[in-house]
């Protein structure tokens, strides 16, 4: 999903500029108050990756790219340390208006040492220990936006890595600015009608499998291909994309798909003919759910899912997906899918959420209603803008608390710093998709690649933490230390 992400993101951010004064919950949410019918965005695609960041453009913007000194003299500066990824304003800096007041969002790294620069903002996929802005300045918060999984940066999945930051916006419900529903536009998206069973039965009679696998990013930390390969021994699976491919997509345009997140109306119509979709995330983390889960539900297929261990908390009802981990083996899972494939009444129970009143999970409904950003929604800001305002409001509050302490040091204590916690990512060590780790040969590419990356992520976090605590400014000493702990770790593997 990260491949080509920068170019796609920049293109999407320019699609539509929408200014809104206030953002409430999405209009379409709510089973009891009436629902706006879901309309496919613009060209008919469900998502233009990365949808949540791109398609709605810029919101809450009142300034111009060329800000005068008087206009911004007393405003806190939020400095993006990922300037190449987020030029979502046309100049180097731009004023933003938020709930508690105004700040300046900037990508000009020359502002890093300024006393006005109160927060450094990082995009997690781009964050590297070698590029960390050291020494860390005492008056600055570090804020992390990272909606992706550990596949993009294992450093952040460890305590020493995530605790480098004060504020977080991640897929976890426990983060400071949670993004667990980043791929779900609203309840009406789930309510889209499924194809009639008669059409799907005809599809099966034409020789297609009951189960679809569409994945072009192979050998990921979740080791999903190993599981699917074993499942194929017990039930037919039509596998498109580059991973375990045994069928060709119907047109050359589809066959050029780089990842499973690329959407097209004709492709969606093709995929909707399958009754079951294998929906396996690239990593296993609490609350990490992507289009691999929500897209099959949108199309009226039943997801056969492995990913977030907490996925049940977010489902429209308690009978809408098949969880791989509920079955003791791929063979048992295959037997259950075959049973549902041959029993229409039992199968349709998994689509009951598409009927009026079928979405019964109040936690899901409340979460959609309460979020302040939208997904492909031209009436709401995207979560990038929302995150900026969240950090701005935090820094304005912190400034007020510091001034209050300065005015009454004996009565008002120094404000305690807010520190991110491991639960803000909550991704355990990668495990095999099938079988035990001991059964996998030592030269296995998955075992070598992802376990090494996992431990190197821990080492980088420990090294960077040591640098910050020791106020060490010489990068050569940092790399000497990093090399030393790498060598120790490799000796223990």
């Amino acid at each position: 999903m990260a491949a080509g992400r920068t170019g796609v993101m920049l293109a999407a951010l320019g699609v539509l500029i929408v200014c809104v004064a206030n953002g409430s919950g999405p209009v379409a949410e709510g089973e009891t108050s009436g629902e706006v019918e879901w309309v496919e965005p613009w060209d008919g695609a469900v998502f233009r990756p990365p949808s949540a960041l791109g398609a709605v453009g810029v919101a809450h913007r009142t300034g111009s790219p060329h800000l005068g000194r008087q206009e911004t003299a007393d405003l806190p500066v939020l400095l993006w340390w990922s300037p190449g990824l987020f030029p979502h304003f046309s100049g180097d800096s731009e004023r933003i208006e938020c709930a508690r007041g105004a700040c300046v969002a900037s990508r000009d790294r020359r502002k890093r040492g300024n006393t006005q620069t109160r927060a450094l903002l990082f995009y997690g996929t781009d964050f590297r220990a070698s590029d960390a802005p050291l020494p860390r300045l005492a008056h600055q918060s570090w804020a992390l936006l990272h909606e992706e999984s550990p596949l993009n940066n294992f450093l952040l999945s460890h305590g020493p890595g995530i605790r480098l930051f004060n504020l977080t916006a991640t897929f976890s419900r426990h983060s400071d600015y949670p993004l667990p529903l980043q791929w779900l536009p609203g309840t009406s998206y789930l309510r889209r009608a499924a194809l009639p069973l008669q059409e799907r039965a005809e599809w099966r009679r034409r020789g297609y499998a009951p189960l679809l696998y569409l994945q072009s990013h192979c050998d990921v930390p979740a080791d999903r291909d190993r599981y699917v390969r074993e499942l194929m021994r017990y039930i037919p699976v039509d596998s498109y994309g580059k991973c375990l491919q045994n069928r060709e997509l119907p047109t050359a345009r589809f066959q050029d798909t780089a990842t499973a997140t690329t959407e097209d109306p004709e492709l969606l119509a093709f995929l909707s003919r399958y009754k079951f979709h294998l929906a396996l995330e690239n990593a296993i983390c609490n609350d990490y759910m992507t289009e691999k889960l929500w897209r099959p539900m949108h199309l009226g297929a039943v997801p056969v899912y492995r990913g977030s261990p907490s996925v049940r908390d977010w489902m429209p009802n308690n009978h809408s997906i098949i969880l791989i981990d509920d079955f003791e083996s791929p063979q048992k899972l295959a037997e259950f899918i075959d049973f549902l494939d041959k029993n229409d009444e039992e199968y349709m129970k998994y689509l009951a959420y598409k009927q009026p009143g079928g979405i019964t999970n109040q936690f899901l409904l409340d979460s959609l209603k309460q979020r302040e950003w939208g997904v492909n929604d031209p009436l709401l800001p995207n979560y990038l803008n929302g995150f900026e305002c969240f950090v701005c409001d935090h820094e304005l509050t912190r400034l007020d608390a510091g001034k209050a302490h300065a005015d009454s040091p004996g009565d008002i204590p120094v404000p305690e710093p807010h520190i991110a916690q491991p639960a803000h990512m909550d991704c355990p060590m990668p495990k095999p998709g099938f079988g035990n780790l001991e059964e996998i040969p030592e030269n296995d590419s998955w075992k070598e690649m992802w376990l090494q990356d996992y431990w190197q992520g821990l080492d980088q976090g420990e090294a960077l933490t040591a640098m910050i605590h020791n106020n060490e400014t010489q990068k050569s000493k940092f790399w000497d230390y990093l090399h030393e702990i790498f060598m120790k770790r490799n000796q223990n593997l």
Side-chain angles (χ1 to χ4, degrees):
M1 185 168 159
R5 186 178 182 89
T6 300
V8 176
M9 184 175 293
L10 302 187
L13 278 168
V15 170
L16 179 66
I17 295 180
V18 179
C19 295
V20 277
N22 293 293
S24 58
V27 176
E29 265 77 83
E31 288 279 293
T32 58
S33 59
E35 221 177 320
V36 177
E37 182 180 358
W38 171 258
V39 178
E40 304 289 6
W42 299 292
D43 62 0
V46 178
F47 289 107
R48 291 191 196 89
S51 64
L53 287 177
V56 300
V58 178
H60 295 290
R61 300 291 175 184
T62 61
S64 65
H66 306 290
L67 299 176
R69 291 185 178 180
Q70 291 183 348
E71 184 183 2
T72 62
D74 299 322
L75 298 183
V77 174
L78 316 179
L79 175 59
W80 276 103
W81 205 250
S82 306
L85 191 60
F86 287 125
H88 52 285
F89 37 85
S90 54
D92 286 334
S93 300
E94 182 166 303
R95 178 183 175 120
I96 61 175
E97 298 289 343
C98 302
R100 289 189 61 88
C103 292
V104 173
S106 178
R107 57 185 179 190
D108 183 357
R109 287 193 174 190
R110 293 173 297 180
K111 296 181 182 291
R112 186 225 162 188
N114 295 356
T115 56
Q116 277 183 262
T117 302
R118 299 287 300 179
L120 269 60
L121 280 60
F122 302 88
Y123 184 59
T125 299
D126 281 357
F127 183 80
R128 294 293 181 268
S130 59
D131 189 44
L134 300 177
R136 179 167 175 167
L137 304 182
H139 71 283
Q140 292 176 348
S141 298
W142 281 16
L144 172 71
L145 173 65
H146 190 53
E147 86 286 17
E148 292 279 14
S149 77
L151 171 66
N152 299 82
N153 195 340
F154 271 105
L155 183 156
L156 303 173
S157 300
H158 301 283
I162 196 66
R163 282 193 291 264
L164 295 169
F165 301 92
N166 302 100
L167 303 173
T168 62
T170 75
F171 52 78
S172 171
R173 74 184 83 178
H174 301 296
S175 68
D176 300 303
Y177 192 79
L179 306 172
L181 298 176
Q182 58 180 298
W183 289 98
L184 180 60
T187 54
S188 54
Y189 177 79
L190 297 173
R191 297 282 294 277
R192 179 183 186 269
L195 280 182
L197 284 179
Q198 297 90 325
E199 291 188 34
R200 293 179 168 186
E202 175 60 27
W203 188 247
R204 296 281 283 109
R205 283 192 289 272
R206 290 170 58 185
Y208 289 90
L211 194 55
L212 166 85
Y213 188 50
L214 175 59
Q215 189 55 58
S216 291
H217 195 169
C218 313
D219 299 322
V220 297
D223 199 27
R224 56 192 172 203
D225 295 337
R226 190 188 307 273
Y227 189 94
V228 175
R229 186 181 296 110
E230 180 69 13
L231 183 65
M232 286 174 164
R233 296 178 56 195
Y234 305 103
I235 191 169
V237 177
D238 286 348
S239 182
Y240 302 93
K242 298 179 181 178
C243 306
L244 306 179
Q245 182 178 7
N246 57 22
R247 274 191 181 270
E248 292 281 355
L249 287 166
T251 69
R253 182 162 55 87
F254 297 163
Q255 293 166 16
D256 194 35
T257 298
T259 71
T261 60
T262 299
E263 303 284 353
D264 182 281
E266 294 180 34
L267 176 61
L268 295 177
F270 175 79
L271 302 180
S272 67
R273 297 182 178 122
Y274 284 87
K275 295 171 70 174
F276 304 90
H277 288 199
L278 279 166
L280 291 85
E281 306 289 6
N282 62 34
I284 309 299
C285 306
N286 272 323
D287 298 338
Y288 179 65
M289 301 164 292
T290 70
E291 84 292 341
K292 295 175 184 65
L293 170 65
W294 302 114
R295 180 179 58 192
M297 302 181 77
H298 172 66
L299 297 177
V302 177
V304 181
Y305 183 77
R306 170 179 278 164
S308 167
S310 59
V311 67
R312 281 191 175 97
D313 293 349
W314 303 98
M315 289 298 94
N317 61 30
N318 60 7
H319 200 78
S320 49
I321 62 173
I322 298 171
L323 296 182
I324 287 175
D325 290 339
D326 284 348
F327 296 85
E328 64 184 40
S329 68
Q331 182 177 1
K332 294 295 184 183
L333 172 63
E335 292 171 358
F336 184 69
I337 294 172
D338 183 62
F339 166 76
L340 291 180
D341 186 39
K342 296 174 180 176
N343 291 270
D344 290 350
E345 184 176 348
E346 292 299 315
Y347 174 82
M348 290 303 296
K349 291 179 180 179
Y350 283 84
L351 302 182
Y353 64 88
K354 291 186 174 294
Q355 303 304 316
I359 300 179
T360 59
N361 183 352
Q362 196 60 43
F363 176 70
L364 174 65
L365 294 172
D366 290 345
S367 298
L368 286 168
K369 184 177 181 180
Q370 292 165 8
R371 69 183 183 186
E372 300 174 352
W373 42 270
V375 178
N376 281 345
D377 188 339
L379 301 179
L380 290 175
N382 58 58
Y383 62 68
L384 169 59
N385 303 132
F387 175 64
E388 282 181 340
C389 267
F390 173 78
V391 177
C392 175
D393 289 339
H394 177 271
E395 292 310 307
L396 291 170
T397 300
R398 195 163 67 93
L399 278 169
D400 289 343
K403 291 175 183 176
H405 168 72
D407 293 340
S408 303
D411 299 325
I412 301 177
V414 177
E416 291 289 331
H418 180 79
I419 305 297
Q421 298 300 313
H424 293 198
M425 285 291 289
D426 204 5
C427 303
M429 182 176 178
K431 295 181 180 179
F434 175 74
N436 299 317
L437 185 63
E438 295 76 15
E439 299 171 349
I440 300 176
E442 290 302 319
N443 61 351
D444 179 83
S445 60
W446 173 86
K447 191 171 185 178
E448 289 182 346
M449 182 184 305
W450 298 115
L451 295 188
Q452 179 179 342
D453 285 354
Y454 178 85
W455 288 118
Q456 285 186 355
L458 175 60
D459 292 339
Q460 290 184 47
E462 290 175 342
L464 193 49
T465 300
M467 283 284 289
I468 291 173
H469 288 172
N470 295 333
N471 197 27
E472 179 59 69
T473 60
Q474 298 180 23
K475 291 292 182 76
S476 61
K477 291 186 178 181
F478 166 63
W479 286 112
D480 287 344
Y481 178 78
L482 192 61
H483 176 74
E484 179 183 350
I485 60 175
F486 276 176
M487 294 299 292
K488 289 181 179 178
R489 178 72 68 186
N490 290 336
Q491 290 173 2
N492 294 329
L493 286 179

